[in-house]
Amino acid sequence: MPQLKALIFDVDGTLSDTERDGHRIAFNKAFAEANLDWCWDVETYGILLKVTGGKERIRYFIERFQPVFNLPVDLDGFIKDLHQSKTNHYVALLQSGAIPLRPGVERLLTQARSAKLRLGIATTTTPENITTLLNATLGADSIGWFDVIAAGDVVPDKKPAPDIFQYALNKMDLSAEDCMAFEDSENGLLSSLQAGLKTIVTINEYTRNDNFDGALIVLDQLGEPGTAFTVIDGDAGEAGYVDVPLIKRLFET
Ligand code: XBP
Ligand code: MG
C-alpha cells in the first residue's frame, strides 16, 4: 500500500501569488528598459498565462499580438536577453520583500518537516526566482529544506507536460504513488496528474475558472488556524486548514 513520503510543490500561484504583482510587473519593466512599447495589463496577462514559461510567453505574445513587430534576425537571442532582464527585475522585487508566501505555506512546510515528510519543488519558473523567493520569505536555510528544486529549462517540455514532476521524482528517487503534489492551475494539474501524482489544488485570481477535474480537493487557500479555507470541490471533513493529518486522509482516499 502506498505510503505518503513527500510533498511536491509548484511555486508560482501555489507557494506565493507571484504573477500579477510580480512576474507581470517584471516583464513590463524589462519591456520599458528595452524601449518596447509593450505593456501587459492585468487582463492581458491572464490570457498570456495559458502559456507557461516566460520565454515561451514572450514568443507567443510576439506571434499573437504583435503582427507588425519587426522581428530581430536573432529572435531566440532577443527573447533570451529580454527574459534575463525580466528575471533581474523579478529578483529585485522579491528581494524588496514585495511578494509574500500564501497563507498557510510556512506553517505547512514546517509541520511537514517535523512529520519527516520530504519536500520537493517542481515548477516552470527560473531557478534563481525560487531560491530568491525562499531566501526572502523563509530565510537562506529554507533552500535546504527541499530535496530537489526542479525548475525551468532542466526539462525540454514545460507544464502541462509531466516532465518536471517526473524529473523531481527521479531526483528524489521516489515513485509518484508515494507523493502528494500541490498546484494552482489547470496546466499545473495536468502536469502532476500525467506524472501520476495525487494533487491538492489551491486556486487564485487567475486560475479560479480553470478545469480541476482529477484533483483530490480544490480549495481557495491552505488556510490557517482561525482563517478557514473555502472548499470549492471535494471533502475536507471538519478541517479548516490543510495540515499533515488532512493531507494523509486525502492521500488515503
Ligand atoms: C509559472 C510560469 C512561469 C512564470 C514566469 O507556471 O508559467 O513561467 O510565470 O517564470 P507554473 P519565468 O506555476 O505552472 O510552474 O519567466 O522565470 O519562466
Ligand atoms: Mg503555478
Side-chain angles (χ1 to χ4, degrees):
M1 182 158 147
Q3 235 205 321
L4 182 65
K5 294 182 183 148
L7 311 182
I8 306 181
F9 292 87
D10 169 50
V11 175
D12 296 298
T14 301
L15 291 186
S16 173
D17 252 326
T18 52
E19 296 292 2
R20 192 191 67 185
D21 301 328
H23 289 293
R24 187 182 68 88
I25 303 294
F27 279 113
N28 286 335
K29 285 188 176 192
F31 299 156
E33 204 172 78
N35 290 318
L36 294 160
D37 64 353
W38 307 344
C39 184
W40 291 355
D41 61 32
V42 171
E43 201 188 331
T44 305
Y45 195 63
I47 299 165
L48 298 173
L49 268 180
K50 299 296 172 212
V51 179
T52 59
K55 292 188 286 295
E56 293 80 356
R57 193 168 298 144
I58 293 171
R59 185 182 298 276
Y60 174 78
F61 174 74
I62 293 171
E63 287 168 358
R64 173 86 194 271
F65 293 90
Q66 295 296 321
V68 295
F69 179 62
N70 226 335
L71 288 183
V73 181
D74 178 12
L75 182 61
D76 288 352
F78 169 80
I79 291 175
K80 192 165 168 270
D81 291 349
L82 195 55
H83 185 255
Q84 182 57 56
S85 160
K86 175 261 169 178
T87 298
N88 298 343
H89 286 294
Y90 182 67
V91 161
L93 263 173
L94 290 172
Q95 285 168 338
S96 77
I99 304 174
L101 296 179
R102 292 191 69 181
V105 168
E106 180 169 3
R107 172 190 53 73
L108 179 59
L109 294 175
T110 306
Q111 194 190 10
R113 293 183 75 230
S114 305
K116 302 280 181 260
L117 289 173
R118 295 171 64 195
L119 301 176
I121 279 177
T123 177
T124 298
T125 202
T126 304
E128 67 186 289
N129 296 348
I130 307 153
T131 46
T132 310
L133 174 73
L134 292 174
N135 202 0
T137 53
L138 296 170
D141 287 353
S142 64
I143 295 161
W145 296 0
F146 297 88
D147 289 357
V148 63
I149 296 183
D153 298 325
V154 291
V155 289
D157 291 322
K158 294 183 174 168
K159 299 175 187 177
D163 305 28
I164 198 73
F165 278 103
Q166 288 166 339
Y167 178 94
L169 288 167
N170 259 331
K171 289 279 171 198
M172 293 173 91
D173 198 19
L174 287 170
S175 69
E177 62 176 7
D178 293 328
C179 305
M180 180 73 86
F182 291 77
E183 270 292 351
D184 71 301
S185 69
E186 186 172 338
N187 278 330
L189 178 64
L190 285 168
S191 173
S192 62
L193 290 180
Q194 289 184 86
L197 288 151
K198 293 180 175 179
T199 307
I200 292 174
V201 169
T202 49
I203 61 160
N204 59 59
E205 188 195 327
Y206 275 129
T207 65
R208 61 178 67 254
N209 295 318
D210 284 8
N211 180 349
F212 293 119
D213 286 354
L216 280 186
I217 196 163
V218 182
L219 306 165
D220 69 330
Q221 56 165 311
L222 292 176
E224 288 281 38
T227 315
F229 51 52
T230 299
V231 180
I232 292 150
D233 194 19
D235 183 5
E238 297 297 302
Y241 57 94
V242 177
D243 58 3
V244 171
L246 176 61
I247 294 170
K248 286 192 169 160
R249 221 158 62 228
L250 291 167
F251 183 80
E252 281 155 20
T253 53

